[in-house]
Amino acid sequence: MGGRWVTGMLLAGAVLLGACGDPASGPQAARPAPSAPGQAEASPPTLPPSEPSAPGVPGTTRHSAPRAPVKAPTVLYIGDSLATENQRVLGQELRRDLRAHYRSVPYSGTTLCDYLEGTGERSLVPDADKAAALVRAVRPDFVVLQFWGNSWGYTPCMDGITYDASRGRYLARYAADARRLAEQIDAAGRDRRPRVVWVLQGPDPVTPDRVRRVNAVYQERAAATGDLVADAGRAVSAAGARYSWTQYLPCTPYERARPAYCTQPGSDRTALHRDDDHLHFCLAPTTSTPKPCPVRSPGVLRIAREITRAVGEAARSR
């Protein structure tokens, strides 16, 4: 058992560094142009249009969008490699269900401090794409923040503070950055303050308690400012085991009716992760050029739907 545990830890660590912290896959590499508000994107292969229920399959229904808000919201989406892979599917969900105007500007390998103004060359995000700069340009109603929580020394603006070396320093710094980022977004919004949506993360296979604590930072920040959380991590966790990592989950009725989503035929299970990538939810291999997920991936769709649900609930109550 000890050998398997060590092997698993090494594999997971390699995946995390290779996917979110490797300079070859970081924001310096080429990446697709971010979407602009109201700009049409190519129809993604990850998520087909609404489909009818499968005939003869009990418990499946046509995907019916909830009531759209009276005023279509403008949504800005920023984050790290998880946001990079989710961005196209989230845009389709937001547009279809909420008629939203949408812009996504994620950078792989980043964390909260990369989107802070005033970080200069120590940041992996250029000045024009800082959170506050984007808020001033886009004037969104909602800013969705999805960050797994870069916990190693790759991101320069973290000043070498890592979770493994000093958990107390890492969490204190992360909470301070969350507060500063929310303050900069608030100031940039001026008379039209956007609501921040903090996306809670799924289980971490290497340091599960780290994600629990990072999610607590997000929840505390949302409560302090009257903002929102979207518990997308729960959508990719097993029932009753919110912080226990799993590669497979039971299929939902939607997935069960569509073989492309219920990926383990005969077992009523669907894959959330590839065998060689325990962090990302895209079922296509991670490449050196960050891009939206190019294949149907149940984990990506589950996350996008939960974010859309949280934004839609708030938009309909405005």
Side-chain angles (χ1 to χ4, degrees):
M1 179 176 180
R4 288 199 302 272
W5 182 84
V6 170
T7 300
M9 290 287 285
L10 291 174
L11 172 61
V15 166
L16 302 189
L17 288 171
C20 281
D22 184 352
S25 65
Q28 297 92 336
R31 67 183 184 92
S35 61
Q39 175 182 335
E41 293 180 346
S43 179
T46 315
L47 178 61
S50 300
E51 301 171 356
S53 58
V57 180
T60 63
T61 59
R62 179 185 297 270
H63 175 69
S64 56
R67 176 177 56 86
V70 173
K71 177 182 178 293
T74 298
V75 180
L76 172 64
Y77 183 43
I78 61 178
D80 54 20
S81 60
L82 295 178
T84 298
E85 68 181 10
N86 294 341
Q87 61 182 312
R88 187 176 290 166
V89 174
L90 177 60
Q92 182 168 315
E93 288 289 298
L94 288 167
R95 291 184 180 114
R96 183 183 62 201
D97 286 3
L98 309 180
R99 298 176 294 133
H101 305 290
Y102 174 70
R103 185 170 181 185
S104 57
V105 193
Y107 281 83
S108 294
T110 58
T111 193
L112 298 177
C113 59
D114 287 295
Y115 281 89
L116 288 170
E117 291 191 318
T119 48
E121 295 180 356
R122 295 169 51 251
S123 171
L124 301 176
V125 174
D127 288 347
D129 288 344
K130 300 296 191 184
L134 290 169
V135 168
R136 287 190 290 268
V138 177
R139 294 183 63 78
D141 299 297
F142 298 92
V143 180
V144 179
L145 305 176
Q146 180 161 16
F147 291 91
W148 177 81
N150 193 323
S151 60
W152 50 82
Y154 170 60
T155 304
C157 63
M158 282 294 289
D159 299 319
I161 300 172
T162 64
Y163 184 75
D164 287 339
S166 177
R167 298 184 180 187
R169 287 186 67 205
Y170 167 83
L171 291 167
R173 173 61 184 276
Y174 205 80
D177 287 344
R179 183 178 63 254
R180 288 181 62 201
L181 188 59
E183 289 171 351
Q184 289 189 2
I185 290 171
D186 184 63
R190 297 188 303 276
D191 58 328
R192 185 180 173 180
R193 180 190 180 275
R195 296 195 73 182
V196 176
V197 183
W198 297 93
V199 180
L200 305 188
Q201 301 304 293
D204 179 351
V206 180
T207 52
D209 193 54
R210 184 195 62 80
V211 166
R212 186 195 306 271
R213 292 171 181 267
V214 164
N215 282 348
V217 169
Y218 297 155
Q219 290 169 310
E220 290 167 6
R221 183 53 27 206
T225 56
D227 286 312
L228 308 171
V229 294
D231 196 356
R234 186 177 297 280
V236 290
S237 303
R242 174 63 177 80
Y243 289 100
S244 296
W245 185 89
T246 182
Q247 186 174 0
Y248 302 97
L249 282 179
C251 297
T252 64
Y254 182 92
E255 293 162 353
R256 197 173 295 122
R258 297 159 179 82
Y261 285 108
C262 200
T263 57
Q264 305 295 304
S267 67
D268 194 40
R269 296 191 307 165
T270 194
L272 300 178
H273 306 278
R274 291 172 52 86
D275 292 342
D276 59 355
D277 188 340
H278 293 175
L279 170 61
H280 296 94
F281 294 92
C282 182
L283 297 182
T286 300
T287 66
S288 60
T289 302
K291 60 184 178 181
C293 185
V295 299
R296 290 179 174 87
S297 299
V300 170
L301 179 57
R302 290 180 182 211
I303 290 169
R305 284 189 166 177
E306 176 54 27
I307 294 171
T308 301
R309 185 206 62 77
V311 172
E313 187 175 279
R316 283 185 287 272
S317 66
R318 289 172 74 94

mmCIF file of all heavy atoms in Angstrom, residues 27-63:
data_model
loop_
_atom_site.group_PDB
_atom_site.id
_atom_site.type_symbol
_atom_site.label_atom_id
_atom_site.label_comp_id
_atom_site.label_asym_id
_atom_site.label_seq_id
_atom_site.Cartn_x
_atom_site.Cartn_y
_atom_site.Cartn_z
ATOM 1 N N PRO A 27 0.721 30.905 -19.128
ATOM 2 C CA PRO A 27 0.151 31.958 -19.954
ATOM 3 C C PRO A 27 1.103 32.544 -20.977
ATOM 4 O O PRO A 27 0.677 33.232 -21.884
ATOM 5 C CB PRO A 27 -0.270 33.013 -18.928
ATOM 6 C CG PRO A 27 0.564 32.744 -17.741
ATOM 7 C CD PRO A 27 0.803 31.273 -17.727
ATOM 8 N N GLN A 28 2.421 32.261 -20.857
ATOM 9 C CA GLN A 28 3.324 32.756 -21.873
ATOM 10 C C GLN A 28 3.092 32.041 -23.193
ATOM 11 O O GLN A 28 3.389 32.541 -24.255
ATOM 12 C CB GLN A 28 4.787 32.543 -21.446
ATOM 13 C CG GLN A 28 5.158 33.310 -20.179
ATOM 14 C CD GLN A 28 4.942 32.472 -18.945
ATOM 15 O OE1 GLN A 28 4.142 31.542 -18.949
ATOM 16 N NE2 GLN A 28 5.642 32.796 -17.877
ATOM 17 N N ALA A 29 2.584 30.794 -23.112
ATOM 18 C CA ALA A 29 2.323 30.044 -24.332
ATOM 19 C C ALA A 29 1.131 30.640 -25.056
ATOM 20 O O ALA A 29 0.338 31.369 -24.491
ATOM 21 C CB ALA A 29 2.054 28.583 -23.980
ATOM 22 N N ALA A 30 1.002 30.298 -26.340
ATOM 23 C CA ALA A 30 -0.140 30.806 -27.112
ATOM 24 C C ALA A 30 -1.435 30.295 -26.518
ATOM 25 O O ALA A 30 -1.512 29.171 -26.039
ATOM 26 C CB ALA A 30 -0.010 30.347 -28.562
ATOM 27 N N ARG A 31 -2.448 31.119 -26.535
ATOM 28 C CA ARG A 31 -3.749 30.700 -26.020
ATOM 29 C C ARG A 31 -4.822 31.339 -26.868
ATOM 30 O O ARG A 31 -4.578 32.340 -27.536
ATOM 31 C CB ARG A 31 -3.917 31.099 -24.554
ATOM 32 C CG ARG A 31 -3.984 32.592 -24.315
ATOM 33 C CD ARG A 31 -4.071 32.882 -22.829
ATOM 34 N NE ARG A 31 -4.228 34.301 -22.603
ATOM 35 C CZ ARG A 31 -5.392 34.910 -22.495
ATOM 36 N NH1 ARG A 31 -6.499 34.212 -22.610
ATOM 37 N NH2 ARG A 31 -5.461 36.198 -22.281
ATOM 38 N N PRO A 32 -6.026 30.788 -26.897
ATOM 39 C CA PRO A 32 -7.063 31.373 -27.729
ATOM 40 C C PRO A 32 -7.439 32.768 -27.254
ATOM 41 O O PRO A 32 -7.358 33.079 -26.076
ATOM 42 C CB PRO A 32 -8.239 30.391 -27.560
ATOM 43 C CG PRO A 32 -7.965 29.691 -26.275
ATOM 44 C CD PRO A 32 -6.477 29.633 -26.150
ATOM 45 N N ALA A 33 -7.845 33.601 -28.192
ATOM 46 C CA ALA A 33 -8.257 34.955 -27.823
ATOM 47 C C ALA A 33 -9.476 34.893 -26.926
ATOM 48 O O ALA A 33 -10.380 34.095 -27.149
ATOM 49 C CB ALA A 33 -8.574 35.753 -29.075
ATOM 50 N N PRO A 34 -9.528 35.708 -25.867
ATOM 51 C CA PRO A 34 -10.690 35.708 -24.988
ATOM 52 C C PRO A 34 -11.922 36.171 -25.720
ATOM 53 O O PRO A 34 -11.845 36.935 -26.676
ATOM 54 C CB PRO A 34 -10.299 36.688 -23.874
ATOM 55 C CG PRO A 34 -9.253 37.554 -24.481
ATOM 56 C CD PRO A 34 -8.518 36.700 -25.467
ATOM 57 N N SER A 35 -13.062 35.696 -25.266
ATOM 58 C CA SER A 35 -14.310 36.085 -25.902
ATOM 59 C C SER A 35 -14.687 37.500 -25.495
ATOM 60 O O SER A 35 -14.362 37.958 -24.406
ATOM 61 C CB SER A 35 -15.426 35.126 -25.509
ATOM 62 O OG SER A 35 -15.633 35.149 -24.119
ATOM 63 N N ALA A 36 -15.369 38.195 -26.355
ATOM 64 C CA ALA A 36 -15.845 39.545 -26.070
ATOM 65 C C ALA A 36 -17.330 39.506 -25.770
ATOM 66 O O ALA A 36 -18.024 38.579 -26.172
ATOM 67 C CB ALA A 36 -15.570 40.450 -27.269
ATOM 68 N N PRO A 37 -17.838 40.507 -25.045
ATOM 69 C CA PRO A 37 -19.257 40.508 -24.728
ATOM 70 C C PRO A 37 -20.103 40.455 -26.000
ATOM 71 O O PRO A 37 -19.910 41.248 -26.925
ATOM 72 C CB PRO A 37 -19.449 41.849 -23.998
ATOM 73 C CG PRO A 37 -18.090 42.207 -23.495
ATOM 74 C CD PRO A 37 -17.134 41.658 -24.490
ATOM 75 N N GLY A 38 -21.018 39.511 -26.029
ATOM 76 C CA GLY A 38 -21.925 39.396 -27.156
ATOM 77 C C GLY A 38 -21.317 38.747 -28.384
ATOM 78 O O GLY A 38 -21.984 38.537 -29.383
ATOM 79 N N GLN A 39 -20.037 38.415 -28.353
ATOM 80 C CA GLN A 39 -19.382 37.835 -29.513
ATOM 81 C C GLN A 39 -19.723 36.367 -29.628
ATOM 82 O O GLN A 39 -19.654 35.614 -28.666
ATOM 83 C CB GLN A 39 -17.859 37.993 -29.377
ATOM 84 C CG GLN A 39 -17.054 37.303 -30.477
ATOM 85 C CD GLN A 39 -15.571 37.461 -30.234
ATOM 86 O OE1 GLN A 39 -15.130 38.397 -29.582
ATOM 87 N NE2 GLN A 39 -14.796 36.536 -30.730
ATOM 88 N N ALA A 40 -20.098 35.930 -30.814
ATOM 89 C CA ALA A 40 -20.442 34.524 -31.014
ATOM 90 C C ALA A 40 -19.170 33.698 -31.084
ATOM 91 O O ALA A 40 -18.177 34.102 -31.676
ATOM 92 C CB ALA A 40 -21.235 34.369 -32.307
ATOM 93 N N GLU A 41 -19.193 32.538 -30.462
ATOM 94 C CA GLU A 41 -18.074 31.620 -30.522
ATOM 95 C C GLU A 41 -18.467 30.423 -31.372
ATOM 96 O O GLU A 41 -19.641 30.114 -31.533
ATOM 97 C CB GLU A 41 -17.701 31.129 -29.113
ATOM 98 C CG GLU A 41 -17.136 32.221 -28.241
ATOM 99 C CD GLU A 41 -16.789 31.699 -26.868
ATOM 100 O OE1 GLU A 41 -17.224 30.591 -26.529
ATOM 101 O OE2 GLU A 41 -16.099 32.389 -26.132
ATOM 102 N N ALA A 42 -17.487 29.738 -31.874
ATOM 103 C CA ALA A 42 -17.778 28.515 -32.608
ATOM 104 C C ALA A 42 -18.452 27.523 -31.679
ATOM 105 O O ALA A 42 -18.134 27.434 -30.502
ATOM 106 C CB ALA A 42 -16.467 27.924 -33.145
ATOM 107 N N SER A 43 -19.378 26.782 -32.208
ATOM 108 C CA SER A 43 -20.101 25.816 -31.385
ATOM 109 C C SER A 43 -19.135 24.778 -30.860
ATOM 110 O O SER A 43 -18.447 24.117 -31.635
ATOM 111 C CB SER A 43 -21.187 25.136 -32.211
ATOM 112 O OG SER A 43 -21.857 24.187 -31.431
ATOM 113 N N PRO A 44 -18.997 24.617 -29.544
ATOM 114 C CA PRO A 44 -17.990 23.729 -28.988
ATOM 115 C C PRO A 44 -18.393 22.274 -29.122
ATOM 116 O O PRO A 44 -19.562 21.922 -28.977
ATOM 117 C CB PRO A 44 -17.936 24.131 -27.512
ATOM 118 C CG PRO A 44 -19.293 24.654 -27.231
ATOM 119 C CD PRO A 44 -19.758 25.295 -28.504
ATOM 120 N N PRO A 45 -17.434 21.387 -29.373
ATOM 121 C CA PRO A 45 -17.762 19.976 -29.413
ATOM 122 C C PRO A 45 -18.051 19.420 -28.032
ATOM 123 O O PRO A 45 -18.578 18.332 -27.892
ATOM 124 C CB PRO A 45 -16.487 19.344 -30.007
ATOM 125 C CG PRO A 45 -15.396 20.293 -29.646
ATOM 126 C CD PRO A 45 -16.031 21.661 -29.661
ATOM 127 N N THR A 46 -17.691 20.162 -26.981
ATOM 128 C CA THR A 46 -17.863 19.656 -25.634
ATOM 129 C C THR A 46 -19.322 19.537 -25.231
ATOM 130 O O THR A 46 -19.701 18.658 -24.487
ATOM 131 C CB THR A 46 -17.142 20.592 -24.642
ATOM 132 O OG1 THR A 46 -15.862 20.906 -25.171
ATOM 133 C CG2 THR A 46 -17.002 19.950 -23.291
ATOM 134 N N LEU A 47 -20.155 20.440 -25.692
ATOM 135 C CA LEU A 47 -21.538 20.462 -25.243
ATOM 136 C C LEU A 47 -22.470 20.667 -26.408
ATOM 137 O O LEU A 47 -22.468 21.721 -27.034
ATOM 138 C CB LEU A 47 -21.740 21.591 -24.236
ATOM 139 C CG LEU A 47 -23.158 21.784 -23.701
ATOM 140 C CD1 LEU A 47 -23.624 20.536 -22.979
ATOM 141 C CD2 LEU A 47 -23.224 22.984 -22.796
ATOM 142 N N PRO A 48 -23.273 19.673 -26.762
ATOM 143 C CA PRO A 48 -24.203 19.842 -27.875
ATOM 144 C C PRO A 48 -25.370 20.715 -27.469
ATOM 145 O O PRO A 48 -25.594 20.956 -26.293
ATOM 146 C CB PRO A 48 -24.658 18.406 -28.147
ATOM 147 C CG PRO A 48 -24.574 17.742 -26.810
ATOM 148 C CD PRO A 48 -23.399 18.374 -26.123
ATOM 149 N N PRO A 49 -26.147 21.194 -28.442
ATOM 150 C CA PRO A 49 -27.350 21.940 -28.099
ATOM 151 C C PRO A 49 -28.304 21.082 -27.289
ATOM 152 O O PRO A 49 -28.133 19.871 -27.179
ATOM 153 C CB PRO A 49 -27.943 22.296 -29.466
ATOM 154 C CG PRO A 49 -26.813 22.167 -30.428
ATOM 155 C CD PRO A 49 -25.941 21.078 -29.872
ATOM 156 N N SER A 50 -29.343 21.717 -26.739
ATOM 157 C CA SER A 50 -30.328 20.984 -25.965
ATOM 158 C C SER A 50 -30.851 19.818 -26.781
ATOM 159 O O SER A 50 -31.151 19.952 -27.964
ATOM 160 C CB SER A 50 -31.491 21.908 -25.593
ATOM 161 O OG SER A 50 -31.019 22.982 -24.832
ATOM 162 N N GLU A 51 -30.924 18.677 -26.157
ATOM 163 C CA GLU A 51 -31.322 17.472 -26.853
ATOM 164 C C GLU A 51 -32.620 16.938 -26.276
ATOM 165 O O GLU A 51 -32.900 17.097 -25.096
ATOM 166 C CB GLU A 51 -30.227 16.401 -26.704
ATOM 167 C CG GLU A 51 -28.881 16.849 -27.256
ATOM 168 C CD GLU A 51 -27.773 15.871 -26.913
ATOM 169 O OE1 GLU A 51 -28.057 14.897 -26.192
ATOM 170 O OE2 GLU A 51 -26.648 16.082 -27.362
ATOM 171 N N PRO A 52 -33.428 16.272 -27.087
ATOM 172 C CA PRO A 52 -34.641 15.667 -26.555
ATOM 173 C C PRO A 52 -34.310 14.507 -25.654
ATOM 174 O O PRO A 52 -33.219 13.947 -25.709
ATOM 175 C CB PRO A 52 -35.381 15.218 -27.817
ATOM 176 C CG PRO A 52 -34.299 15.004 -28.827
ATOM 177 C CD PRO A 52 -33.245 16.044 -28.523
ATOM 178 N N SER A 53 -35.248 14.150 -24.819
ATOM 179 C CA SER A 53 -35.031 13.005 -23.955
ATOM 180 C C SER A 53 -34.907 11.747 -24.794
ATOM 181 O O SER A 53 -35.444 11.640 -25.891
ATOM 182 C CB SER A 53 -36.203 12.861 -22.982
ATOM 183 O OG SER A 53 -37.405 12.723 -23.700
ATOM 184 N N ALA A 54 -34.157 10.806 -24.270
ATOM 185 C CA ALA A 54 -33.966 9.558 -24.987
ATOM 186 C C ALA A 54 -35.237 8.728 -24.907
ATOM 187 O O ALA A 54 -35.746 8.480 -23.817
ATOM 188 C CB ALA A 54 -32.791 8.789 -24.380
ATOM 189 N N PRO A 55 -35.774 8.305 -26.031
ATOM 190 C CA PRO A 55 -37.014 7.547 -25.986
ATOM 191 C C PRO A 55 -36.832 6.241 -25.255
ATOM 192 O O PRO A 55 -35.843 5.534 -25.445
ATOM 193 C CB PRO A 55 -37.331 7.329 -27.473
ATOM 194 C CG PRO A 55 -36.030 7.480 -28.187
ATOM 195 C CD PRO A 55 -35.261 8.483 -27.391
ATOM 196 N N GLY A 56 -37.779 5.947 -24.395
ATOM 197 C CA GLY A 56 -37.763 4.670 -23.701
ATOM 198 C C GLY A 56 -36.818 4.602 -22.530
ATOM 199 O O GLY A 56 -36.651 3.552 -21.921
ATOM 200 N N VAL A 57 -36.146 5.709 -22.188
ATOM 201 C CA VAL A 57 -35.222 5.709 -21.050
ATOM 202 C C VAL A 57 -35.889 6.431 -19.902
ATOM 203 O O VAL A 57 -36.093 7.641 -19.952
ATOM 204 C CB VAL A 57 -33.891 6.400 -21.405
ATOM 205 C CG1 VAL A 57 -32.952 6.389 -20.202
ATOM 206 C CG2 VAL A 57 -33.244 5.700 -22.587
ATOM 207 N N PRO A 58 -36.276 5.718 -18.846
ATOM 208 C CA PRO A 58 -36.968 6.378 -17.739
ATOM 209 C C PRO A 58 -36.062 7.340 -17.008
ATOM 210 O O PRO A 58 -34.858 7.159 -16.936
ATOM 211 C CB PRO A 58 -37.377 5.202 -16.843
ATOM 212 C CG PRO A 58 -36.367 4.133 -17.144
ATOM 213 C CD PRO A 58 -36.038 4.299 -18.605
ATOM 214 N N GLY A 59 -36.697 8.381 -16.453
ATOM 215 C CA GLY A 59 -35.950 9.311 -15.605
ATOM 216 C C GLY A 59 -35.140 10.331 -16.362
ATOM 217 O O GLY A 59 -34.328 11.023 -15.783
ATOM 218 N N THR A 60 -35.323 10.420 -17.692
ATOM 219 C CA THR A 60 -34.595 11.436 -18.443
ATOM 220 C C THR A 60 -35.584 12.440 -18.987
ATOM 221 O O THR A 60 -36.695 12.114 -19.362
ATOM 222 C CB THR A 60 -33.819 10.815 -19.618
ATOM 223 O OG1 THR A 60 -34.760 10.232 -20.527
ATOM 224 C CG2 THR A 60 -32.863 9.743 -19.134
ATOM 225 N N THR A 61 -35.177 13.680 -19.016
ATOM 226 C CA THR A 61 -36.050 14.743 -19.501
ATOM 227 C C THR A 61 -35.297 15.612 -20.474
ATOM 228 O O THR A 61 -34.077 15.664 -20.481
ATOM 229 C CB THR A 61 -36.540 15.611 -18.336
ATOM 230 O OG1 THR A 61 -35.410 16.183 -17.671
ATOM 231 C CG2 THR A 61 -37.355 14.798 -17.339
ATOM 232 N N ARG A 62 -36.058 16.319 -21.280
ATOM 233 C CA ARG A 62 -35.455 17.307 -22.165
ATOM 234 C C ARG A 62 -34.807 18.396 -21.306
ATOM 235 O O ARG A 62 -35.358 18.792 -20.294
ATOM 236 C CB ARG A 62 -36.546 17.915 -23.045
ATOM 237 C CG ARG A 62 -36.014 18.979 -24.001
ATOM 238 C CD ARG A 62 -37.161 19.619 -24.757
ATOM 239 N NE ARG A 62 -37.842 18.657 -25.586
ATOM 240 C CZ ARG A 62 -37.514 18.396 -26.845
ATOM 241 N NH1 ARG A 62 -36.488 19.000 -27.389
ATOM 242 N NH2 ARG A 62 -38.197 17.511 -27.543
ATOM 243 N N HIS A 63 -33.620 18.848 -21.718
ATOM 244 C CA HIS A 63 -32.963 19.915 -20.970
ATOM 245 C C HIS A 63 -33.750 21.201 -21.179
ATOM 246 O O HIS A 63 -33.753 21.764 -22.267
ATOM 247 C CB HIS A 63 -31.524 20.111 -21.437
ATOM 248 C CG HIS A 63 -30.856 21.275 -20.768
ATOM 249 N ND1 HIS A 63 -30.529 21.274 -19.439
ATOM 250 C CD2 HIS A 63 -30.487 22.492 -21.253
ATOM 251 C CE1 HIS A 63 -29.973 22.417 -19.123
ATOM 252 N NE2 HIS A 63 -29.929 23.177 -20.211
#
